[in-house]
């Protein structure tokens, strides 16, 4: 089954404790992206990647890092999480040039 | 720069009545526009997309949207609401600044359906 998976689905952590949210897709897509969703703000893009070793900032990249060492994986790294990063995070993927993005199920993060 | 504005944060309809979710866009280019739906505690699912072909676009679950360049609008409609349509709906424009470009989401419209 074609899908985008994220882990963990739920995470509670404390300020400053490094964490990684994984994202994996099995559709051989070149393009992958991370979004955060906050009430009343819709989804905002954090980072995206056009292919392996090619990443770029989205609209709200501060406090986040990403890497793209393999085509199927695009982890989101919070080196020193802060409470304002409490949010719902979505990973998405698509073919380059393809309009439709496929979204993962979301990761709900609470930073205390 | 591209942007989208969803004109209503919350719309409430009765089951069996028409649905209208409004979206206006701003784009320097010929835009690609989408509607995504998010059911409670679920990920996002593509409802329909406009990519400069027919201006009336049909999507899944009986939804459709009409691209009106003169009004810079892309409103989502459905003739008859069903209880299962209760969800949050996002109007989205593709941003063509940069390389492939990213998606720019509206702030969402929560649709409630009353029995």
């Amino acid at each position: 089954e074609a899908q985008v998976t994220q882990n963990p689905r739920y995470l509670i952590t404390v300020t400053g404790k490094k964490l990684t949210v994984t994202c994996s897709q099995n559709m051989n897509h070149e393009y992958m992206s991370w979004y955060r969703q906050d009430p009343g703000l819709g989804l905002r893009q954090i980072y995206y990647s056009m292919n392996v070793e090619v990443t770029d900032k989205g609209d709200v990249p501060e406090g986040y890092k990403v890497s793209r060492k393999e085509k199927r994986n695009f982890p989101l790294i919070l080196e020193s999480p802060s409470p304002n990063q409490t949010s719902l995070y979505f990973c998405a993927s698509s073919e380059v040039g393809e309009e439709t993005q496929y979204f993962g199920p979301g990761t709900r993060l609470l930073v205390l | 720069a591209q942007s989208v504005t969803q004109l209503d944060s919350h719309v409430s309809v009765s089951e069996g009545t028409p649905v209208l979710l409004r979206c206006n866009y701003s784009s320097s280019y010929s835009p690609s526009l989408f509607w995504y739906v998010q059911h409670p505690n679920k990920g996002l699912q593509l409802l329909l997309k406009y990519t400069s072909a027919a201006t009336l676009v049909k999507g899944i679950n009986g939804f459709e949207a009409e691209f009106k360049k003169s009004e810079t609008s892309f409103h989502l409609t459905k003739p008859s609401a069903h209880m299962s349509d209760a969800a949050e709906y996002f109007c989205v424009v593709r941003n063509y600044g940069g390389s492939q470009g990213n998606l720019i989401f509206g702030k969402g419209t929560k649709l409630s359906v009353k029995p």
Side-chain angles (χ1 to χ4, degrees):
Chain A
E1 179 191 355
Q3 61 182 348
V4 179
T5 57
Q6 296 178 225
N7 283 292
R9 295 289 312 280
Y10 303 91
L11 179 60
I12 301 174
T13 189
V14 295
T15 298
K17 186 176 181 181
K18 181 179 177 179
L19 66 91
T20 299
V21 183
T22 65
C23 172
S24 183
Q25 50 92 6
N26 63 0
M27 296 168 278
N28 202 36
H29 287 163
E30 295 92 354
Y31 181 86
M32 297 186 73
S33 181
W34 276 103
Y35 297 87
R36 60 178 288 174
Q37 183 180 20
D38 302 291
L41 296 178
L43 277 77
R44 294 176 293 167
Q45 190 179 51
I46 303 170
Y47 269 95
Y48 64 95
S49 170
M50 298 291 289
N51 212 326
V52 174
E53 303 291 2
V54 181
T55 64
D56 208 348
K57 296 177 180 179
D59 300 315
V60 288
E62 294 79 18
Y64 304 94
K65 284 176 55 178
V66 292
S67 69
R68 188 88 182 274
K69 299 190 187 311
E70 305 167 280
K71 197 172 187 180
R72 64 182 292 128
N73 296 324
F74 190 44
L76 179 70
I77 302 156
L78 284 71
E79 294 270 5
S80 182
S82 62
N84 65 13
Q85 293 178 297
T86 291
S87 188
L88 178 58
Y89 291 87
F90 288 100
C91 180
S93 73
S94 72
E95 299 277 359
V96 170
E98 169 59 43
E99 300 292 345
T100 303
Q101 290 195 10
Y102 297 85
F103 284 81
T107 295
R108 193 169 290 279
L109 172 65
L110 172 61
V111 182
L112 300 173
Chain B
Q2 289 77 27
S3 67
V4 287
T5 302
Q6 292 183 243
L7 299 169
D8 307 291
S9 59
H10 190 199
V11 170
S12 182
V13 301
S14 297
E15 191 174 21
T17 64
V19 175
L20 171 63
L21 305 183
R22 298 181 296 164
C23 173
N24 288 124
Y25 71 90
S26 171
S27 177
S28 305
Y29 306 88
S30 180
S32 292
L33 293 157
F34 312 79
W35 277 97
Y36 279 83
V37 60
Q38 184 180 29
H39 286 94
N41 300 311
K42 301 280 188 182
L44 286 92
Q45 181 184 20
L46 180 69
L47 266 182
L48 50 81
K49 62 183 179 183
Y50 167 79
T51 55
S52 75
T55 56
L56 184 61
V57 182
K58 294 188 184 301
I60 61 173
N61 301 334
F63 284 94
E64 60 183 39
E66 186 171 8
F67 173 73
K68 291 188 176 180
K69 187 174 181 179
S70 60
E71 298 176 12
T72 61
S73 69
F74 190 58
H75 301 336
L76 181 70
T77 60
K78 183 174 180 177
S80 176
H82 192 273
M83 295 297 290
S84 60
D85 295 328
E88 190 158 20
Y89 293 79
F90 294 95
C91 183
V92 183
V93 65
R94 177 172 288 282
N95 176 18
Y96 284 99
S99 47
Q100 158 140 333
N102 55 300
L103 298 181
I104 298 173
F105 283 74
K107 294 183 178 180
T109 298
K110 188 163 288 189
L111 176 65
S112 300
V113 182
K114 298 174 288 188

